[in-house]
């Protein structure tokens, strides 16, 4: 299993440009998450999804949109990039807790985005 | 979710046990203690979690005090590859927004030869 993968690994944008970050998981997880991490800071939740076709806002959703058209994929979009969105973006996935399962989150390797 | 307090940094000699403390004095009865680590430039990695009993897996041991107000993550034989930032997170165990992992600044563990 590849686990959680993210595409691309690096990207440089100019202010105002748009882009989409792709997260894919092959663990059949119901839940998926997008976090951002700024230098010297912990991770902050942007958006999350509890199942195919559903999304919800996290702690810092402004300037981002997401879509979960397929269970294994979670897309993060920046419609008009700003320098404040320069960050490292991490995707994670988990099962919902219940029974013997925990909702331990498994993370991808990250996408390093710079907005000039 | 309860707030946690961890030392900013710690050193450990290679081959020795690394004991990382975490205070969570406001933890409530249905909150679990989770530990993750982040090796430089990589995504966070799950280590272990527990509710009130001590737990052990192939990576580490988790010791939770009887009053649950603090815990210690133990890496029994630290190697240079264990150098990372270690995050102690307290949360109710379910997914969705309530399952959001709230990362603080963690403890920077440096394992030295």
């Amino acid at each position: 299993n590849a686990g959680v993968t993210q595409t691309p690994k690096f990207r440089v944008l100019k202010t105002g440009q748009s882009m989409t970050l792709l997260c894919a998981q092959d663990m059949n997880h119901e839940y998926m998450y997008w976090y951002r991490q700024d230098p010297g800071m912990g991770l902050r939740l942007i958006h999350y999804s509890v199942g195919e076709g559903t999304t919800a806002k996290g702690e810092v959703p402004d300037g981002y949109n997401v879509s979960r058209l397929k269970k294994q994929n979670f897309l993060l979009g920046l419609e008009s990039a700003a320098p404040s969105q320069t960050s490292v973006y991490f995707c994670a996935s988990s099962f919902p807790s219940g029974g013997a399962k925990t909702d331990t989150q498994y993370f991808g390797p990250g996408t390093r985005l710079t907005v000039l | 979710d309860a707030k946690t307090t961890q030392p900013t940094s710690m050193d450990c000699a290679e081959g020795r046990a690394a004991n990382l403390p975490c205070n969570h004095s406001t933890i409530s009865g249905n909150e679990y203690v989770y530990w993750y680590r982040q090796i430089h430039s990589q995504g966070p990695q799950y280590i272990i979690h527990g509710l009130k009993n001590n737990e052990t897996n192939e990576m580490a041991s988790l010791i939770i005090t009887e009053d649950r107000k603090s815990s210690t993550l133990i890496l029994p034989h630290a190697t240079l590859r264990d150098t990372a930032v270690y995050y102690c997170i307290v949360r109710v165990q379910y997914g969705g927004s309530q399952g959001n992992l709230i990362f603080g600044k963690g403890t920077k563990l440096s394992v030295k030869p």
Side-chain angles (χ1 to χ4, degrees), chain B residues 33-59:
Chain B
V33 180
Y34 278 74
W35 283 84
Y36 281 75
R37 73 180 182 184
Q38 188 172 23
I39 297 170
H40 181 62
S41 300
Q42 297 182 21
Q45 178 188 22
Y46 165 79
I47 302 173
I48 198 168
H49 77 282
L51 181 62
K52 53 184 178 181
N53 298 321
N54 297 338
E55 301 288 345
T56 296
N57 63 20
E58 64 279 3
M59 289 183 68

Side-chain angles (χ1 to χ4, degrees), chain A residues 32-76:
Chain A
M32 296 187 74
Y33 312 79
W34 275 107
Y35 292 86
R36 62 176 286 175
Q37 185 175 33
D38 300 315
M41 304 282 289
L43 280 71
R44 292 182 293 170
L45 184 67
I46 305 172
H47 285 280
Y48 66 96
S49 168
V50 299
E52 184 178 321
T54 70
T55 64
K57 295 180 180 180
E59 179 187 357
V60 289
D62 294 342
Y64 305 95
N65 56 75
V66 287
S67 64
R68 183 99 181 269
L69 299 180
K70 293 182 179 181
K71 184 178 182 179
Q72 63 268 35
N73 296 336
F74 195 28
L75 305 179
L76 178 70

Side-chain angles (χ1 to χ4, degrees), chain A residues 96-102, chain B residues 32 93:
Chain A
S97 62
K101 290 181 179 175
T102 71
Chain B
Y32 286 70
Q93 183 176 278

Side-chain angles (χ1 to χ4, degrees), chain B residues 50-108:
Chain B
L51 181 62
K52 53 184 178 181
N53 298 321
N54 297 338
E55 301 288 345
T56 296
N57 63 20
E58 64 279 3
M59 289 183 68
S61 295
L62 174 60
I63 308 298
I64 302 174
T65 58
E66 192 169 341
D67 63 8
R68 304 210 321 123
K69 293 185 177 181
S70 66
S71 60
T72 301
L73 177 74
I74 301 172
L75 307 178
H77 304 287
T79 70
L80 298 178
R81 288 180 293 181
D82 291 321
T83 292
V85 178
Y86 287 77
Y87 297 98
C88 170
I89 300 167
V90 173
R91 55 177 282 239
V92 180
Q93 183 176 278
Y94 50 77
S97 63
Q98 301 91 333
N100 168 25
L101 291 174
I102 299 175
F103 287 81
K105 295 193 175 179
T107 297
K108 168 68 173 163

